[in-house]
Amino acid sequence: MTPVELSRSVLCAVRRAVDEGELAVAVPERAVVTVPGPGGCGDYATNIALQLARPAGQPALRVAEILRSHLAGADGVADVVVTGPGFLNIRLGGTASVALVEEILRRGARYGYANGPSADFVPLSCPREVRAVVVMDAVARILRSQGAAVRTRCEAGLPQEWVDILGVRVDTVGGGSSRPGESNAVGRQGDETGARATRHRSVALNLPHYAVRPVPAPLDPLFLGRDAARWALLHPAEHDRPRVTDEHLVQRESNPLFRVRYAYARTRALTRNAADLGFSAEPGPVEPSTGQFTDQLTSQSPAPLTPHPLQTALADHPRVLAQAAAHRAPDRLARHLVAVADAVLPLLAVVLPRGAEKPSAAHRARLALAEAAGAVLAGGLSLLGIDAPEHL
């Protein structure tokens, strides 16, 4: 179950409470579902009860208890606990986790993308500054993944080395139309939204542009090459000054870009190694932590299984993409990829059988979860304009 699907379940619980006369409120258009904060538990949490308490004329805890009774029976929901002033903490069932992995493997790198084009048309503009151009390029990619049509404009023409090394393009320069040497970034991706953006060219000239103006880069990042340069400019928040140093090139754990790309390369290597051993991925229940992996391998009565924390990070990916698009903030996606990589790395050591051990359903399920993480990492890096190498 994805956060979007869980949000719908929360709204259905509100609607049932209203229909049964337990709450006298207007059903909101959306329910925010996030990872639990301090003091929370389970896989997700929502503050919908606090949001509805005042219009319902009831204490938030009472509203939370009403909604808990309706939400607890929803498909894919294993348990609902009320904490703090009225937060609903939701634990998903095992079948929901399996369905999540199945969905990611089915959609691949496009997991988290909108199901189709939206009515949104977003004109973006930026100054002729390298970080602004790279951020605008990434924002455009993320917006298009959410179905929006986008046109980009720079105040002046781009240096050819920015195009060649950083892979950036703009649709228009100044207030004019596209120049011969500047191609539409969407068209290069073969996206339907590229054609829609072209059809909106005349509209773009009449709409106010969203100005992309991050803190400028302190120096030219081209010496880092495309991938490291883009990461150096995109990973910090827009208001933070980026560090343009060769630390982004080192292949060690302290480098977030290396951890992300290393985690992806390892997932691809596991798929190849599993094929050599004669088995493939098959979604199924997966243990929650490396410690419990070890317990299951060595103990006759392992602890009860709960969803692996990586599944929570993967399920959060569509929400992160939507928020990155809404706030024009590719740094949110970059930080999320680091979180996914850090969550998958402990899993990788126990995917393959050990010694004379035969491949089991547990190995197939772990491999499926690792491959799902790889798909999210590859898709996210692609939206940032960064390569995801299978060998590193």
Side-chain angles (χ1 to χ4, degrees):
M1 179 181 291
T2 67
V4 173
E5 293 168 335
L6 184 55
S7 176
R8 295 195 195 103
S9 297
V10 171
L11 292 178
C12 286
V14 175
R15 192 169 293 108
R16 285 194 295 270
V18 170
D19 292 343
E20 295 181 14
E22 297 174 290
L23 293 176
V25 295
V27 179
E29 293 184 0
R30 61 190 295 265
V32 177
V33 174
T34 63
V35 176
C41 59
D43 300 303
Y44 293 100
T46 177
N47 66 348
I48 189 70
L50 284 76
Q51 177 184 339
L52 298 178
R54 177 173 292 182
Q58 299 190 48
L61 281 173
R62 172 59 183 160
V63 175
E65 287 295 339
I66 291 172
L67 296 180
R68 187 192 69 80
S69 63
H70 291 285
L71 187 58
D75 290 341
V77 174
D79 190 26
V80 182
V81 176
V82 178
T83 61
F87 291 101
L88 290 166
N89 295 260
I90 305 162
R91 182 169 63 85
L92 302 181
T95 55
S97 300
V98 173
L100 169 68
V101 174
E102 290 175 339
E103 179 188 1
I104 297 174
L105 295 181
R106 176 176 58 83
R107 301 196 65 182
R110 295 182 68 84
Y111 166 66
Y113 281 37
N115 291 326
S118 70
D120 295 333
F121 175 62
V122 185
L124 301 173
S125 67
C126 73
R128 187 181 182 272
E129 189 276 320
V130 64
R131 188 186 185 199
V133 173
V134 170
V135 170
M136 183 174 70
D137 181 77
V139 168
R141 292 166 183 259
I142 295 170
L143 282 165
R144 287 163 183 147
S145 78
Q146 301 306 294
V150 183
R151 282 193 68 80
T152 58
R153 185 184 73 191
C154 186
E155 294 174 356
L158 304 186
Q160 190 60 41
E161 58 265 29
W162 292 8
V163 176
D164 295 340
I165 298 176
L166 299 177
V168 293
R169 299 289 192 278
V170 296
D171 299 317
T172 61
V173 173
S177 59
S178 298
R179 296 180 2 173
E182 295 163 345
S183 60
N184 188 316
V186 186
R188 291 186 301 106
Q189 297 172 6
D191 231 329
E192 179 187 348
T193 52
R196 293 191 294 117
T198 301
R199 292 197 296 270
H200 283 299
R201 175 178 299 178
S202 60
V203 179
L205 300 178
N206 299 320
L207 284 178
H209 282 65
Y210 176 86
V212 178
R213 292 183 179 273
V215 173
L219 55 98
D220 190 333
L222 297 182
F223 73 96
L224 294 174
R226 173 171 175 167
D227 295 333
R230 289 184 70 104
W231 182 268
L233 301 178
L234 295 173
H235 183 252
E238 182 177 355
H239 56 270
D240 292 331
R241 183 173 295 277
R243 294 194 307 272
V244 181
T245 69
D246 57 6
E247 67 187 74
H248 301 289
L249 296 173
V250 298
Q251 297 198 32
R252 55 173 175 255
E253 189 177 352
S254 61
N255 179 2
L257 174 59
F258 171 71
R259 296 207 305 275
V260 172
R261 286 160 42 113
Y262 174 74
Y264 171 73
R266 283 289 308 278
T267 65
R268 300 305 303 147
L270 287 173
T271 299
R272 296 191 297 269
N273 294 339
D276 292 339
L277 294 175
F279 76 99
S280 59
E282 185 176 329
V286 177
E287 307 86 338
S289 68
T290 304
Q292 195 161 348
F293 286 137
T294 305
D295 291 344
Q296 185 173 15
L297 292 171
T298 60
S299 172
Q300 295 300 317
S301 35
L305 300 182
T306 57
H308 191 281
L310 174 59
Q311 293 166 334
T312 302
L314 298 180
D316 206 32
H317 187 62
R319 182 191 67 83
V320 171
L321 287 183
Q323 289 297 306
H327 294 278
R328 319 292 192 253
D331 60 285
R332 297 191 180 205
L333 173 58
R335 290 194 298 272
H336 176 65
L337 296 181
V338 176
V340 171
D342 289 344
V344 74
L345 285 171
L347 169 69
L348 302 181
V350 291
V351 168
L352 299 179
R354 300 179 178 183
E357 187 181 13
K358 298 295 184 183
S360 66
H363 295 112
R364 294 182 177 90
R366 294 171 198 160
L367 179 60
L369 182 57
E371 288 185 355
V376 168
L377 294 173
L381 286 171
S382 176
L383 289 176
L384 297 178
I386 296 173
D387 181 47
E390 295 201 3
H391 303 272
L392 194 64

